[in-house]
C-alpha cells in the first residue's frame, strides 16, 4: 500500500461515505468546541478526573459549546481517556444536546470492525449526536502499541480507513472479502467521520476524500497553516461535504488575571518534559511545576511545544483566538484546556466562551 494520498483515494473510491451535518451555529463566528483528555493530576484520582470530565461536558452544554471530543491515549498516567467509546457513552447519558465524539480514536490500535460496532452502537443509542474522529498514530509508545494490537504500518491506514467506512456504510464492493460481514448494531444513521492530523498527509487525504478535517494546532502549530491550505486545495466534493470544513484545535488557558492563567498553565510544560524523557506521569500541580528547577534547555523545549498556546485573561484570549481565526480561516475552533484543577478548568471554558462572544 502506498503512502501517497492520491493512490489511497483510488483504494477507497468504491466505498460508501456517510453524510455529515455541518451546522453554522452563528453567522458572526465559527462554532466553539471542546477537546478533553480527562487529566489526572498528582493530587487527584482517575475517578475524580472522569467525574471532572462529566462536569465539564455538562458545563460546556450550558455554555453553548457545539461538540465535545475525547482523545485516546495509552500508557500515560496523567490521561484517563484511554477508551473513548466508553467515556462517550457515559457523557452522552449526562448531556442531551451536545455532540460527542472522539478526537480521536487511533485506527492502528483497533480492528476497523471493532470501531464500527462501538460507534454504530453509540449512534444507535444517541442518534445524530456522535462524531468519529480518526487518527493514524497509535498515541502511545511502541511497546504499548504492540500490546494493544499487533503492529500495522502507516501504509495500512488508507485500507483500514476504507474498511471502517464500509462497515459503517453497510456495504463493500462486490469483490471485497468482507462483503458479507456486517457491523451490528446499526441505527438509522451513522456517526460522522472526521480525519484528524498534525501534518499534511491527513490534510491531503481528507481533502481528496471530501471528509471534514481537524488539525492539532495545540501541538503542531508550525504545520497548521500549510495543512489547512493543503486540505482546501486538495478538497473534492463528496457525498459527505460540498465544500471543505476544518476544525483547528488550540491549547487555551483563561483566568480572571494573566498571572492566574500562567499559574494554571505551568503544569503542562513540566508534563511535556517528562513525556519527552520517556517518563510520563501524572499532571503536576501548579505548585510542583512552578517549583521545578528548569534548565535553559528545558525552557526552550517547553516553549517549542506550548509557544502557540493562548494563555491569559479574557482580553488576551479574545485577541489570540481572533488572530488564530484570521490566520487559518477555521470553520470551527476546538479548545483544549489541560489544567489540574477541575473548577479552574470549567472557569476557563466559561471565560473563553464569554471572550469569544466578543470577537
Amino acid at each position: 500500500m502506498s503512502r501517497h494520498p492520491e493512490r489511497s483515494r483510488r483504494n477507497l473510491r468504491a466505498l460508501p461515505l456517510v453524510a455529515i451535518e455541518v451546522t453554522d451555529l452563528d453567522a458572526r463566528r465559527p462554532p466553539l468546541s471542546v477537546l478533553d483528555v480527562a487529566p489526572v493530576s498528582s493530587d487527584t484520582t482517575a475517578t475524580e478526573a472522569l467525574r471532572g470530565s462529566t462536569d465539564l461536558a455538562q458545563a460546556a452544554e450550558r455554555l453553548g459549546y457545539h461538540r465535545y471530543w475525547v482523545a485516546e491515549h495509552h500508557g500515560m498516567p496523567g490521561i484517563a481517556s484511554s477508551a473513548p467509546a466508553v467515556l462517550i457513552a457515559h457523557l452522552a447519558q449526562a448531556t442531551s444536546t451536545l455532540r460527542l465524539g472522539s478526537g480521536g480514536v487511533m485506527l492502528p490500535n483497533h480492528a476497523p470492525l471493532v470501531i464500527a460496532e462501538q460507534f454504530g452502537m453509540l449512534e444507535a443509542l444517541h442518534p445524530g449526536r456522535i462524531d468519529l474522529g480518526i487518527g493514524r498514530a497509535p498515541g502511545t509508545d511502541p511497546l504499548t502499541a504492540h500490546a494493544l494490537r499487533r503492529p500495522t504500518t502507516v501504509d495500512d491506514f488508507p485500507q483500514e480507513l476504507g474498511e471502517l467506512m464500509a462497515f459503517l456504510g453497510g456495504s463493500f464492493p462486490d469483490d471485497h472479502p468482507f462483503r458479507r460481514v456486517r457491523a451490528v448494531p446499526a441505527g438509522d444513521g451513522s456517526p460522522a467521520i472526521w480525519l484528524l492530523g498534525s501534518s499534511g498527509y491527513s490534510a491531503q487525504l481528507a481533502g481528496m476524500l471530501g471528509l471534514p478535517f481537524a488539525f492539532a494546532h495545540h501541538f503542531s502549530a508550525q504545520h497548521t497553516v500549510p495543512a489547512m491550505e493543503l486540505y482546501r486545495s486538495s478538497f473534492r466534493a463528496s457525498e459527505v461535504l460540498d465544500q471543505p470544513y476544518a476544525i483547528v484545535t488550540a491549547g487555551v488557558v483563561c483566568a480572571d488575571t494573566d498571572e492566574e492563567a500562567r499559574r494554571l498553565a505551568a503544569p503542562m510544560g513540566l508534563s511535556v518534559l517528562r513525556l519527552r524523557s520517556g517518563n510520563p506521569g501524572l499532571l503536576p500541580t501548579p505548585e510542583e511545576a512552578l517549583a521545578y528547577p528548569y534548565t535553559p534547555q528545558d525552557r526552550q523545549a517547553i516553549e517549542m511545544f506550548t509557544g502557540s498556546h493562548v494563555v491569559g485573561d479574557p482580553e488576551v484570549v479574545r485577541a489570540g483566538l481572533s488572530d488564530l481565526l484570521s490566520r487559518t480561516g477555521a470553520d470551527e475552533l476546538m479548545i483544549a484546556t489541560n489544567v489540574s484543577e477541575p473548577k479552574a478548568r470549567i472557569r476557563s471554558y466559561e471565560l473563553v466562551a464569554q471572550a469569544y462572544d466578543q470577537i
Side-chain angles (χ1 to χ4, degrees), residues 267-290:
M268 193 61 203
L270 181 53
S271 182
V272 168
L273 284 182
R274 290 172 174 172
L275 178 62
R276 292 192 172 187
S277 68
N279 187 33
L282 299 171
L283 184 67
T285 65
E287 290 69 31
E288 288 177 274
L290 292 170

Side-chain angles (χ1 to χ4, degrees), residues 52 55-56 264 339-350:
D55 293 340
L56 179 58
L264 292 169
V339 303
S340 60
E341 300 175 10
K343 290 183 179 179
R345 191 160 68 124
I346 290 177
R347 177 61 173 163
S348 180
Y349 278 101
E350 178 183 357

Side-chain angles (χ1 to χ4, degrees), residues 200 202-208 210-214 225-236 241 243-247 331:
S202 292
Q204 188 174 14
L205 183 59
M208 289 180 170
L211 292 175
F213 177 60
V225 171
M228 296 289 279
E229 292 174 349
L230 184 58
Y231 170 60
R232 294 179 180 122
S233 66
S234 303
F235 185 83
R236 303 178 187 180
L241 288 174
Q243 57 188 8
Y245 191 94
I247 289 175
D331 300 291

